[in-house]
Protein backbone atom coordinates (compact mmCIF):
# COMPACT_ATOMS: atom_id res chain seq x y z
CA UNK A 1 0.00 0.00 0.00
CA UNK A 2 1.44 3.37 -0.98
CA UNK A 3 1.12 6.74 0.65
CA UNK A 4 -1.97 8.84 0.04
CA UNK A 5 -1.85 11.38 -2.78
CA UNK A 6 -1.88 14.98 -1.60
CA UNK A 7 -5.53 15.35 -2.65
CA UNK A 8 -6.50 12.16 -0.80
CA UNK A 9 -4.56 13.29 2.27
CA UNK A 10 -6.35 16.66 2.29
CA UNK A 11 -9.70 14.90 2.06
CA UNK A 12 -8.76 12.36 4.75
CA UNK A 13 -7.96 14.98 7.38
CA UNK A 14 -11.23 16.75 6.60
CA UNK A 15 -13.24 13.52 6.64
CA UNK A 16 -12.03 12.79 10.17
CA UNK A 17 -13.45 16.11 11.46
CA UNK A 18 -16.66 16.68 9.48
CA UNK A 19 -20.04 15.20 10.40
CA UNK A 20 -23.50 15.24 8.82
CA UNK A 21 -25.15 18.60 9.42
CA UNK A 22 -21.88 20.59 9.61
CA UNK A 23 -20.93 23.85 7.91
CA UNK A 24 -17.99 23.55 5.48
CA UNK A 25 -16.26 25.66 2.82
CA UNK A 26 -14.53 24.93 -0.47
CA UNK A 27 -12.50 28.13 -0.81
CA UNK A 28 -11.37 27.39 -4.39
CA UNK A 29 -13.99 25.25 -6.12
CA UNK A 30 -12.25 24.70 -9.47
CA UNK A 31 -14.02 21.73 -11.10
CA UNK A 32 -15.96 20.88 -7.93
CA UNK A 33 -14.15 17.77 -6.73
CA UNK A 34 -13.80 19.03 -3.15
CA UNK A 35 -17.23 20.71 -3.28
CA UNK A 36 -18.88 17.36 -4.05
CA UNK A 37 -16.73 15.60 -1.44
CA UNK A 38 -17.86 18.11 1.20
CA UNK A 39 -21.51 17.94 0.08
CA UNK A 40 -21.50 14.19 0.59
CA UNK A 41 -19.85 14.48 4.01
CA UNK A 42 -22.31 16.98 5.48
CA UNK A 43 -25.40 15.56 3.78
CA UNK A 44 -28.57 17.52 3.11
CA UNK A 45 -28.77 18.74 6.73
CA UNK A 46 -25.38 20.44 6.38
CA UNK A 47 -24.30 23.42 4.31
CA UNK A 48 -21.45 23.88 1.83
CA UNK A 49 -20.26 27.27 0.59
CA UNK A 50 -17.94 27.14 -2.43
CA UNK A 51 -16.06 30.09 -3.95
CA UNK A 52 -14.34 30.80 -7.25
CA UNK A 53 -13.68 33.90 -9.37
CA UNK A 54 -14.20 32.10 -12.69
CA UNK A 55 -17.69 31.54 -14.15
CA UNK A 56 -16.36 28.40 -15.82
CA UNK A 57 -15.58 26.91 -12.39
CA UNK A 58 -19.13 27.50 -11.20
CA UNK A 59 -20.51 25.82 -14.32
CA UNK A 60 -18.21 22.80 -14.02
CA UNK A 61 -18.99 22.43 -10.32
CA UNK A 62 -22.73 22.71 -10.86
CA UNK A 63 -22.56 20.02 -13.55
CA UNK A 64 -20.56 17.72 -11.23
CA UNK A 65 -22.98 18.24 -8.32
CA UNK A 66 -26.12 17.69 -10.41
CA UNK A 67 -24.67 14.58 -12.06
CA UNK A 68 -23.76 13.06 -8.69
CA UNK A 69 -26.53 14.32 -6.41
CA UNK A 70 -29.30 15.55 -8.69
CA UNK A 71 -30.65 19.10 -8.67
CA UNK A 72 -32.60 18.57 -5.44
CA UNK A 73 -29.72 16.72 -3.78
CA UNK A 74 -27.41 19.71 -4.24
CA UNK A 75 -29.67 22.33 -2.66
CA UNK A 76 -27.48 22.46 0.45
CA UNK A 77 -24.53 23.73 -1.64
CA UNK A 78 -24.14 27.45 -2.38
CA UNK A 79 -21.82 28.28 -5.28
CA UNK A 80 -20.51 31.83 -5.07
CA UNK A 81 -18.83 33.80 -7.83
CA UNK A 82 -16.39 35.56 -5.51
CA UNK A 83 -12.78 35.50 -4.39
CA UNK A 84 -11.76 33.28 -1.51
CA UNK A 85 -10.23 36.41 0.05
CA UNK A 86 -13.72 37.72 0.89
CA UNK A 87 -15.37 34.48 1.95
CA UNK A 88 -15.54 35.23 5.68
CA UNK A 89 -17.32 38.53 5.02
CA UNK A 90 -19.71 36.92 2.51
CA UNK A 91 -20.90 34.15 4.81
CA UNK A 92 -23.56 34.67 7.49
CA UNK A 93 -22.22 35.60 10.95
CA UNK A 94 -23.49 32.22 12.20
CA UNK A 95 -20.59 30.57 10.32
CA UNK A 96 -17.92 32.46 12.31
CA UNK A 97 -16.29 30.08 14.76
CA UNK A 98 -18.74 27.31 13.77
CA UNK A 99 -17.30 25.92 10.52
CA UNK A 100 -15.93 22.37 10.61
CA UNK A 101 -13.53 22.59 7.66
CA UNK A 102 -12.21 24.86 4.92
CA UNK A 103 -10.47 23.35 1.89
CA UNK A 104 -8.12 25.16 -0.49
CA UNK A 105 -6.73 23.70 -3.72
CA UNK A 106 -4.57 26.51 -5.05
CA UNK A 107 -3.26 27.30 -8.52
CA UNK A 108 -5.32 27.51 -11.70
CA UNK A 109 -8.45 25.85 -13.08
CA UNK A 110 -7.30 22.30 -14.00
CA UNK A 111 -8.94 21.95 -17.42
CA UNK A 112 -7.12 22.01 -20.76
CA UNK A 113 -8.91 25.06 -22.20
CA UNK A 114 -8.62 27.19 -19.01
CA UNK A 115 -6.68 30.44 -18.98
CA UNK A 116 -3.62 29.46 -16.90
CA UNK A 117 -2.82 33.13 -16.23
CA UNK A 118 -5.86 33.23 -13.91
CA UNK A 119 -4.63 31.66 -10.70
CA UNK A 120 -4.65 32.15 -6.97
CA UNK A 121 -2.21 34.78 -5.74
CA UNK A 122 -0.26 35.01 -2.47
CA UNK A 123 -1.91 38.22 -1.23
CA UNK A 124 -5.50 37.07 -1.67
CA UNK A 125 -4.68 33.57 -0.45
CA UNK A 126 -3.13 34.87 2.78
CA UNK A 127 -6.22 37.04 3.37
CA UNK A 128 -8.38 33.99 2.70
CA UNK A 129 -6.41 31.88 5.18
CA UNK A 130 -6.93 34.48 7.90
CA UNK A 131 -10.63 34.51 7.09
CA UNK A 132 -10.74 30.73 7.15
CA UNK A 133 -9.25 30.66 10.64
CA UNK A 134 -11.98 33.03 11.85
CA UNK A 135 -14.62 30.70 10.39
CA UNK A 136 -13.26 27.50 11.96
CA UNK A 137 -14.62 26.12 15.21
CA UNK A 138 -12.16 24.77 17.78
CA UNK A 139 -10.92 21.42 16.42
CA UNK A 140 -11.91 22.44 12.90
CA UNK A 141 -9.42 21.91 10.09
CA UNK A 142 -8.02 23.85 7.20
CA UNK A 143 -6.37 22.03 4.30
CA UNK A 144 -4.28 23.76 1.64
CA UNK A 145 -3.00 21.92 -1.45
CA UNK A 146 -0.01 23.83 -2.88
CA UNK A 147 1.61 23.59 -6.31
CA UNK A 148 5.20 24.92 -6.25
CA UNK A 149 5.99 23.40 -9.66
CA UNK A 150 4.25 26.00 -11.82
CA UNK A 151 5.18 29.63 -12.39
CA UNK A 152 3.82 31.65 -9.48
CA UNK A 153 2.93 28.54 -7.51
CA UNK A 154 6.37 28.50 -5.91
CA UNK A 155 5.91 32.03 -4.52
CA UNK A 156 2.43 31.23 -3.26
CA UNK A 157 3.59 27.99 -1.60
CA UNK A 158 6.45 29.82 0.14
CA UNK A 159 4.08 32.55 1.37
CA UNK A 160 1.55 30.03 2.72
CA UNK A 161 4.27 28.00 4.40
CA UNK A 162 5.73 31.12 6.04
CA UNK A 163 2.24 32.10 7.22
CA UNK A 164 1.68 28.63 8.73
CA UNK A 165 5.11 28.64 10.42
CA UNK A 166 4.41 31.92 12.21
CA UNK A 167 0.93 30.84 13.36
CA UNK A 168 0.92 31.00 17.16
CA UNK A 169 0.59 27.55 18.75
CA UNK A 170 -2.38 28.75 20.81
CA UNK A 171 -4.25 29.54 17.55
CA UNK A 172 -3.62 26.22 15.85
CA UNK A 173 -1.15 23.54 14.95
CA UNK A 174 0.16 23.13 11.41
CA UNK A 175 1.54 20.06 9.66
CA UNK A 176 3.09 19.53 6.23
CA UNK A 177 2.55 16.45 4.04
CA UNK A 178 5.01 16.30 1.16
CA UNK A 179 7.36 14.12 -0.84
CA UNK A 180 10.79 15.31 0.28
CA UNK A 181 12.63 13.87 -2.75
CA UNK A 182 10.66 16.00 -5.23
CA UNK A 183 11.09 19.69 -4.44
CA UNK A 184 8.40 20.88 -6.89
CA UNK A 185 5.76 18.22 -6.23
CA UNK A 186 2.37 19.35 -4.86
CA UNK A 187 2.03 19.19 -1.09
CA UNK A 188 -0.43 19.86 1.71
CA UNK A 189 -0.39 22.15 4.70
CA UNK A 190 -3.09 21.32 7.24
CA UNK A 191 -4.06 23.35 10.27
CA UNK A 192 -6.16 22.31 13.24
CA UNK A 193 -7.68 25.25 15.08
CA UNK A 194 -7.19 25.27 18.85
Amino acid sequence: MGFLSVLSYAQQIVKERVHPGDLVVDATMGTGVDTLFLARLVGERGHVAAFDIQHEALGLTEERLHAALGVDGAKHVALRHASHAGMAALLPPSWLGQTAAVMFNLGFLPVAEADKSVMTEPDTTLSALEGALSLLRPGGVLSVVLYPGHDGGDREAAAVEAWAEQLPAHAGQAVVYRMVQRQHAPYVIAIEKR
Side-chain angles (χ1 to χ4, degrees):
M1 181 170 105
F3 291 117
L4 292 173
S5 72
V6 293
L7 299 176
S8 296
Y9 178 78
Q11 289 186 347
Q12 184 63 38
I13 61 166
V14 168
K15 185 177 179 181
E16 292 172 358
R17 304 301 173 97
V18 174
H19 306 289
D22 278 343
L23 304 173
V24 292
V25 175
D26 182 353
T28 53
M29 79 177 81
T31 64
V33 172
D34 288 334
T35 308
L36 176 58
F37 166 74
L38 291 168
R40 286 179 166 149
L41 280 181
V42 301
E44 293 184 17
R45 293 180 313 138
H47 295 284
V48 181
F51 296 84
D52 209 295
I53 61 169
Q54 294 183 80
H55 285 291
E56 186 179 4
L58 275 74
L60 291 167
T61 300
E62 186 173 74
E63 285 177 27
R64 183 182 298 275
L65 290 170
H66 290 173
L69 305 174
V71 174
D72 289 339
K75 287 186 176 177
H76 65 297
V77 181
L79 305 182
R80 297 176 180 249
H81 181 237
S83 170
H84 58 331
M87 68 182 166
L90 293 171
L91 289 169
S94 59
W95 287 57
L96 290 173
Q98 299 301 315
T99 304
V102 181
M103 298 185 78
F104 290 79
N105 193 338
L106 301 177
F108 48 77
L109 189 60
V111 293
E113 62 278 1
D115 180 356
K116 303 294 193 262
S117 69
V118 179
M119 66 179 81
T120 54
E121 298 286 341
D123 290 345
T124 55
T125 296
L126 294 179
S127 293
L129 290 169
E130 289 292 340
L133 274 182
S134 72
L135 290 170
L136 287 179
R137 67 187 181 201
V141 293
L142 170 61
S143 69
V144 188
V145 180
L146 300 148
Y147 297 88
H150 70 79
D151 189 35
D154 52 347
R155 289 189 316 279
E156 186 172 44
V160 171
E161 198 163 331
W163 175 84
E165 286 173 357
Q166 63 77 38
L167 189 67
H170 65 82
Q173 60 181 359
V175 297
V176 177
Y177 181 79
R178 78 182 315 161
M179 186 183 301
V180 295
Q181 298 101 323
R182 291 182 51 216
Q183 199 86 12
H184 300 293
Y187 66 102
V188 177
I189 293 179
I191 295 169
E192 177 188 46
K193 186 169 181 179
R194 295 270 189 196

